[in-house]
Amino acid sequence: EDLEEAANKPRTVIASFGTTAGALAALISFLQSGELPLDTDTACEVLGLANRFSISSAIDRASRYMIDTLTPATAIERLTWVSQQLQSPKPRSRKPAYMFPNLRKTCLDFVAKNFTEISVKYFAQVQEFVQGHASLMVEVLDRQRKSATPVKSKSKSSKSNA
């Protein structure tokens, strides 16, 4: 009965997975062939779906794809998405536990490093980002500040003490 309903109402099945048809098709293709067809429109959804079903090889490939194809055009959307993917926090921890910490760090570093270019080329997207994600914007600015602050070298002080 469920299979008959699935055949007659594919949109209902896709909605029950909480994803898009493209993401579901990509993951099914991966399970059948080992190939994971990704593009900028489906990468986040495929990663989320692969994570939901604990398919580690698809998680790795989708994460790698998202890092390898990170551009000023995709950076804000990916940073926002990956920052919303949270795990249950550890007991007594006040920091959020991100599902994809390496991907999030890469996106955050990229946005911080390229924020001027992103702001000029994608002003409306950045404006929406700033208004809707103030705490994330603070992280970007903090990352910029840290990368602009020169690191004090200990070698000069140790030479002068010698």
Side-chain angles (χ1 to χ4, degrees), residues 23-39:
L24 188 55
L27 196 58
I28 289 170
S29 174
F30 175 74
L31 293 172
Q32 292 173 335
S33 69
E35 296 296 319
L36 188 58
L38 292 167
D39 58 45

Side-chain angles (χ1 to χ4, degrees), residues 118-137:
I118 294 169
S119 297
V120 170
K121 290 183 177 177
Y122 307 99
F123 181 77
Q125 188 181 19
V126 170
Q127 190 174 23
E128 185 180 310
F129 172 72
V130 170
Q131 291 172 350
H133 306 281
S135 61
L136 198 47
M137 185 63 215

Side-chain angles (χ1 to χ4, degrees), residues 71-72 75-76 110-111 114-123 126:
T71 67
I76 295 289
F110 185 91
V111 170
N114 298 285
F115 193 73
T116 301
E117 178 185 354
I118 294 169
S119 297
V120 170
K121 290 183 177 177
Y122 307 99
F123 181 77
V126 170

Side-chain angles (χ1 to χ4, degrees), residues 2 5 8 11 18 37 63 78 89 109 118 131 133:
D2 290 339
E5 182 181 346
N8 295 329
R11 290 180 196 269
S63 295
R78 288 184 184 174
D109 289 345
I118 294 169
Q131 291 172 350
H133 306 281

